[in-house]
Amino acid sequence: MFPAERPRRLRRTSALRRLVAETSLSPVDFVAPLFVAEGRDAPVAINSLPGHFQHTVSSLHEEVRRLHDVGVGGIILFGVPSSKDELGSGAWDPSGIAQVALKSLRDEFGDDLVIMADLCLDEYTIHGHCGVVRSDGTVDNDATLELYARTAVAQASAGAQVVAPSGMMDGQVGAVRSALDDAGFQETVIMAYAAKYASGLYGPFREAVGVEIAGGGDRRSYQQDSRNRREALREARADVAEGADIVMVKPAMTYLDIVSDLRRELDVPLCAYHVSGEYAMIKAAAANGWIDGTAVAIEQLTAVRRAGADFVLTYFAREIAEELGR
Ligand code: PBG
């Protein structure tokens, strides 16, 4: 008796495997998160994100050139201000670090790659929350929307082609869309952090941007609860209804069910953020010689695509783009 089903037949050679592969992974599917710090004269390495830096505007340009050269699809910029305040005014200050860097990048790169701005306040606030904090310590949703609206307009004016509201306030996409439209930025794209979970995987990012949440607090009153699956669809549908052009799931690996759900239920482009802790885990295990970091990175990024994401925000963007080009 011969087996009736012989799936191994198609796995025999690498050419056959490539021909029948259901999922592809290429540099254009990557968006690289980058950090730019105010008032520095040299880039500073971020310990928990090996290979990443708080850039100066000039080292940022060099990095974006390298990313562009290897065909990476885009970058998303985070600003690290030299001083913070209660409301996070650096986020919308036209001479704030993110705006200065966005303008400078846009001058050099034009429309050659997609330049995105993360839109949030936590890097700019003393208390480290993503919004306006009331005297009782809670985060005021609607007062925050007004500040997101200002920030969106500042980022679009500076040259961001995509703004990415990441604070998980209700109504944030609608508020940003109408502010952009009123200011004449009808063509600025909104990529919504639609399903963003309160995760333990953001630790290295918080080192990267120097954010500590006041009083040992957390973001559980605005970011999603990891026990919930249906709720992600509710969040994403609301964002699309408010005008989101692209929706995101974050983190990636622990939420592939969510990626798959949103792919099935929505028509808009979908992405996932392979976050700082996901990168750091691979780097740390690889540094110990416990796993092959490159192989695991490719496996994970492929899994995100297989689950249904069109592209991936990843700290591996340059490294794996270089690897895929070999
Ligand atoms: C909030 C923001 C965070 C990340 C991206 N935008 C941190 C947070 O929600 O606490 C995390 C990204 C990462 O871990 O790579 N501005």
Side-chain angles (χ1 to χ4, degrees):
M1 255 314 259
F2 297 116
E5 279 284 2
R6 285 200 183 268
R8 285 191 54 201
R9 206 176 265 147
L10 295 172
R11 295 184 201 134
R12 196 175 57 82
T13 69
S14 105
L16 271 168
R17 292 193 293 272
R18 190 175 57 210
L19 188 68
V20 300
E22 298 172 40
T23 306
S24 65
L25 188 67
S26 62
V28 76
D29 304 324
F30 303 149
V31 171
L34 296 174
F35 304 98
V36 62
E38 194 165 40
R40 291 268 164 76
D41 28 69
V44 175
I46 303 162
N47 267 325
S48 53
L49 289 176
H52 286 269
F53 297 84
Q54 289 187 346
H55 283 288
T56 63
V57 173
S58 130
S59 70
L60 177 72
H61 273 260
E62 285 168 36
E63 180 61 22
V64 177
R65 254 173 246 138
R66 284 193 286 261
L67 289 160
H68 182 50
D69 287 346
V70 293
V72 166
I75 63 117
I76 182 162
L77 191 68
F78 295 89
V80 182
S82 52
S83 67
K84 309 186 185 210
D85 59 25
E86 183 64 29
L87 291 179
S89 65
W92 64 83
D93 180 349
S95 54
I97 184 61
Q99 278 66 255
V100 168
L102 286 165
K103 180 161 189 329
S104 173
L105 288 178
R106 198 62 200 286
D107 285 347
E108 176 173 348
F109 297 96
D111 289 332
D112 290 351
L113 82 172
V114 182
I115 297 173
M116 307 183 171
D118 181 81
L119 196 173
C120 202
L121 301 176
D122 62 320
E123 297 94 337
Y124 302 91
T125 56
I126 291 168
H127 43 71
H129 275 294
C130 299
V132 176
V133 176
R134 299 190 188 95
S135 53
D136 66 358
T138 58
V139 174
D140 185 335
N141 191 88
D142 297 9
T144 302
L145 297 182
E146 155 64 15
L147 306 185
Y148 286 0
R150 282 188 215 173
T151 305
V153 172
Q155 293 175 336
S157 308
Q161 296 146 338
V162 178
V163 298
S166 70
M168 290 300 282
M169 295 300 131
D170 294 338
Q172 63 183 13
V173 172
V176 163
R177 184 71 272 160
S178 55
L180 288 172
D181 289 350
D182 289 348
F185 295 107
Q186 290 89 350
E187 296 189 352
T188 302
V189 170
I190 299 180
M191 178 171 83
Y193 285 69
K196 177 175 180 181
Y197 284 85
S199 171
L201 291 163
Y202 306 149
F205 174 91
R206 291 184 191 158
E207 182 199 332
V209 293
V211 169
E212 228 176 287
I213 307 175
D218 58 49
R219 307 201 193 291
R220 292 181 186 279
S221 81
Y222 40 105
Q223 298 179 346
Q224 283 180 245
D225 188 314
S226 61
R227 289 168 290 199
N228 295 349
R229 179 170 180 172
R230 287 192 306 269
E231 188 188 37
L233 192 51
R234 182 180 180 205
E235 283 281 359
R237 283 208 173 107
D239 284 356
V240 172
E242 289 174 28
D245 300 289
I246 302 172
V247 299
M248 187 207 291
V249 173
K250 177 183 173 190
M253 299 315 297
T254 8
Y255 298 90
L256 291 180
D257 54 336
I258 311 300
V259 174
S260 166
D261 287 354
L262 298 197
R263 172 70 301 149
R264 199 167 344 99
E265 299 291 335
L266 304 174
D267 300 325
V268 294
L270 175 65
C271 62
Y273 197 146
H274 190 264
V275 300
S276 59
E278 299 178 288
Y279 175 83
M281 287 195 290
I282 295 177
K283 284 290 177 192
N288 276 295
W290 296 338
I291 61 172
D292 174 344
T294 305
V296 173
I298 290 175
E299 183 178 341
Q300 292 199 359
L301 297 172
T302 302
V304 176
R305 296 261 303 130
R306 190 188 63 230
D310 297 300
F311 61 93
V312 193
L313 284 76
T314 172
Y315 299 93
F316 282 111
R318 182 155 64 83
E319 185 181 330
I320 298 303
E322 285 166 357
E323 181 65 27
L324 295 173
R326 268 191 255 281

